[in-house]
């Protein structure tokens, strides 16, 4: 058992979710801060675009419209970066807390910054592989998403590069895609529930204000704020569950519980098996 009180043993999917919500409640401000800080920058970007496009200055609006594709691309990159910090910071925080150590918002985000390059590579490669799966059909895309669910924990905790992280995730989740799917399904359900609670009323109000520029601008801004709030509240659940799932896989397949109890300060990388991991097995 780690100093945090969590016994390192094989867990059922119910146990993983129980520990997820326990950690989230116990360290609510920590996970909220890790997720919120990156999202604040995205919110500021979206609000600035909304006000600029609807601010009533024809020259500015025309210039922004001409560069709308470039602005959309910049927004997408900023969103990916924000998600990377939220995911990486949450993974690191769970890792420290789950193993009985202490951490903070700044410490978690700083470690993500230190490994930003490799992590961005993991995120992009994961997106390409999963995106290719969805191009084939919905089922292959979902399957690859499940099999690669723990690639970011593998990259951060085991100091692996993009290709190695995906190979490692694919190896760990072998015969466990169904359990990964439950975590993804929970994330989707919570996201839709939060959207219905926070976003849907303002979306309806926005549609009713289509002929009033001032109200339209106001409701659009409020919708963006509510969308951000909903994401900040829901995102940590999936990220915490993914991190616990990663450790559960290592306990099941590598005896990580025994290894940790014998030497809790040792590096968390697994014992080498002498065989490289491959995505296609």
């Amino acid at each position: 058992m780690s100093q945090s009180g969590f016994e390192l043993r094989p867990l059922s999917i119910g146990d993983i979710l129980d520990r997820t919500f326990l950690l989230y409640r116990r360290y609510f401000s920590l996970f909220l801060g890790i997720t919120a800080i990156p999202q604040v920058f995205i919110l500021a970007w979206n609000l600035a675009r909304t006000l600029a496009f609807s601010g009533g200055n024809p020259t500015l609006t025309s210039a922004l419209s001409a560069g709308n594709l470039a602005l959309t691309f910049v927004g997408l990159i900023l969103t990916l970066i924000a998600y990377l910090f939220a995911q990486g910071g949450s993974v690191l925080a769970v890792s420290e807390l789950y193993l009985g150590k202490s951490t903070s918002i700044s410490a978690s985000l700083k470690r993500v910054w230190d490994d930003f390059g490799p992590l961005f590579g993991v995120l992009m490669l994961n997106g390409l592989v999963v995106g290719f799966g969805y191009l084939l059909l919905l089922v292959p895309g979902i399957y690859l998403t499940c099999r690669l669910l723990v690639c970011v924990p593998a990259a951060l905790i085991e100091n692996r590069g993009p290709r190695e992280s995906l190979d490692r995730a694919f190896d760990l989740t072998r015969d466990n895609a169904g359990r990964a799917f439950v975590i993804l399904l929970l994330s989707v359900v919570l996201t839709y529930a939060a959207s219905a609670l926070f976003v849907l009323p303002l979306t309806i109000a926005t549609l009713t204000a289509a002929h009033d520029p001032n109200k339209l601008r106001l409701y659009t801004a409020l919708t963006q704020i509510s969308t951000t709030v909903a994401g900040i509240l829901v995102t940590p659940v999936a990220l915490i569950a993914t991190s616990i799932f990663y450790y559960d896989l290592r306990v099941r397949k590598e005896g990580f519980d025994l290894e940790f109890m014998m030497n809790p300060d040792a590096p968390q990388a697994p014992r080498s098996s002498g065989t490289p991991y491959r995505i296609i097995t």
Side-chain angles (χ1 to χ4, degrees), residues 5-254:
F6 291 110
E7 183 182 359
L8 295 173
R9 59 175 176 80
L11 303 174
S12 67
I13 190 65
D15 293 331
I16 291 175
L17 298 182
D18 284 343
R19 292 189 179 189
T20 294
F21 288 108
L22 178 60
L23 270 177
Y24 191 24
R25 290 196 305 268
R26 186 178 295 177
Y27 301 99
F28 179 75
S29 59
L30 171 67
F31 291 109
L32 196 70
I34 290 173
T35 307
I37 289 175
Q39 288 298 325
V40 165
F41 293 97
I42 304 304
L43 177 61
W45 169 265
N46 290 331
L47 289 176
R49 288 193 66 190
T50 297
L51 296 175
F53 272 102
S54 57
N57 186 326
T59 302
L60 178 60
T61 300
S62 177
L64 290 173
S65 298
N68 190 42
L69 182 60
L71 292 174
T72 301
F73 179 76
V74 171
L76 176 61
I77 295 299
L78 290 176
T79 300
L80 289 175
I81 292 173
Y83 181 74
L84 184 151
F85 273 93
Q87 184 177 22
S90 298
V91 166
L92 290 169
V94 171
S95 177
E96 296 296 293
L97 297 171
Y98 202 63
L99 300 181
K101 303 175 184 179
S102 61
T103 189
S104 65
I105 296 172
S106 59
S108 299
L109 294 179
K110 182 181 182 303
R111 285 188 59 189
V112 176
W113 175 257
D114 292 340
D115 293 325
F116 177 80
L119 282 177
F120 191 77
V122 171
L123 192 66
M124 295 302 294
L125 184 58
N126 182 46
L128 289 173
V129 172
V130 171
F132 177 75
Y134 280 108
L135 284 177
L136 296 177
L137 275 176
L138 180 63
V139 173
I142 294 174
Y143 177 74
L144 287 173
T145 302
C146 294
R147 291 298 303 272
L148 297 174
L149 185 65
V150 297
C151 62
V152 171
L156 278 169
I157 296 170
E158 301 179 24
N159 296 316
R160 293 177 179 268
R163 173 59 190 272
E164 284 184 313
S165 299
L166 267 64
D167 289 344
R168 172 69 165 150
F170 212 86
D171 183 80
L172 281 174
T173 55
R174 185 182 294 113
D175 301 323
N176 285 274
R179 300 167 73 224
F181 178 75
V182 173
I183 294 174
L184 290 173
L185 183 62
L186 173 67
S187 175
V188 171
V189 170
L190 290 177
T191 299
Y192 275 103
S195 296
L197 180 63
F198 289 95
V199 182
L200 184 59
L202 287 169
T203 301
I204 296 173
T206 302
L207 294 175
T208 62
H211 300 293
D212 188 332
N214 291 328
K215 285 186 177 180
L216 180 61
R217 182 165 58 250
L218 173 62
Y219 287 139
T220 300
L222 290 176
T223 300
Q224 291 170 341
I225 293 172
S226 62
T227 300
T228 301
V229 171
I232 289 171
L233 290 174
V234 169
T235 300
V237 175
L239 300 182
I240 295 170
T242 298
S243 303
I244 295 175
F245 180 51
Y246 162 80
Y247 275 110
D248 178 60
L249 292 173
R250 290 192 57 183
V251 168
R252 288 173 177 271
K253 298 193 172 189
E254 300 172 350

